[in-house]
Amino acid sequence: MKKQLLPLGLLVAMASAPVFAEQGKGWTLGPAFEDGWDPEFTVAATANHMDTDITGVDSDTSAGLQISLNCPWFQPPSGLIRQQFNINKFDKDGIELTTFELNPRYYVNMSPALMVGFGPGFGYMWADADAGEDNNMWTLQLGGDVEYRQGALFLGAGARYQFTQDEELGIDNKGADNWLVQLKVGVNF
């Protein structure tokens, strides 16, 4: 995992450079403590397709839940940062994975109702194997999303790659790195 972190860090730094270049020119620290701040909560069910790097485990569909809100800690001069909390469950070929992820995303509006975002994330994975070792592990993610918001209606799609700690899992695996692609349907509050 350590070898993979350097390219991930460089990619995040390059992608976020335009946002941070304007620091001090309109950045809002602690917007939740200002009058009129609205978290704009969203709750969505997710239908996922997960492809793991675990030997002998095929890709499969899974389900999840996402809760998101406008970041209460800081907002850039343009665009929007939203905090996304995701729980995903995957069970295939004797391996059961449950992930909890915090994935902040920097969004830009493509139209009044359509947004595109990207960002890093971190989380924790609970992993159970029918044979061999069970191990829980910390995770890092990098992903992107497209979201449509119109009144209470929320629709979205996203993809992310997740790096995990190199913990023993199953019979001969180290870690549970994986791709996840998801469709999201929910309600805006």
Side-chain angles (χ1 to χ4, degrees):
M1 180 170 133
K2 291 178 184 173
K3 291 178 186 176
Q4 298 165 333
L5 290 180
L6 180 59
L8 176 65
L10 290 173
L11 182 60
V12 169
M14 288 187 309
S16 60
V19 176
F20 292 108
E22 294 188 30
Q23 188 169 7
K25 296 180 182 176
W27 274 85
T28 304
L29 297 176
F33 304 104
E34 294 187 7
D35 290 337
W37 181 75
D38 184 359
E40 298 180 0
F41 282 104
T42 300
V43 177
T46 64
N48 311 314
H49 183 82
M50 185 181 280
D51 186 10
T52 70
D53 290 342
I54 302 172
T55 304
V57 177
D58 291 330
S59 63
D60 201 6
T61 58
S62 62
L65 176 72
Q66 181 181 83
I67 299 172
S68 65
L69 71 150
N70 291 337
C71 182
W73 307 115
F74 51 95
Q75 288 297 337
S78 63
L80 176 70
I81 296 176
R82 287 189 59 84
Q83 301 290 357
Q84 297 178 342
F85 300 91
N86 297 291
I87 296 175
N88 298 303
K89 185 96 167 159
F90 175 84
D91 191 355
K92 179 76 173 180
D93 296 328
I95 298 286
E96 184 178 317
L97 306 174
T98 304
T99 65
F100 174 76
E101 306 166 20
L102 172 58
N103 296 310
R105 295 284 189 259
Y106 170 71
Y107 282 97
V108 293
N109 286 327
M110 304 306 287
S111 73
L114 186 66
M115 302 187 321
V116 176
F118 67 92
F122 65 93
Y124 197 74
M125 176 186 285
W126 294 267
D128 294 315
D130 288 349
E133 295 287 324
D134 294 339
N135 261 316
N136 303 329
M137 52 199 94
W138 292 101
T139 67
L140 293 174
Q141 296 87 233
L142 182 62
D145 297 277
V146 175
E147 296 184 349
Y148 177 81
R149 299 169 184 282
Q150 186 66 41
L153 175 65
F154 171 79
L155 301 171
R160 63 106 176 105
Y161 190 79
Q162 183 174 65
F163 302 91
T164 64
Q165 281 182 291
D166 289 337
E167 297 287 343
E168 297 290 331
L169 180 61
I171 296 174
D172 63 353
N173 291 285
K174 286 220 177 260
D177 293 1
N178 64 84
W179 274 102
L180 181 89
V181 177
Q182 64 183 194
L183 297 175
K184 306 181 269 190
V185 176
V187 177
N188 298 313
F189 294 93

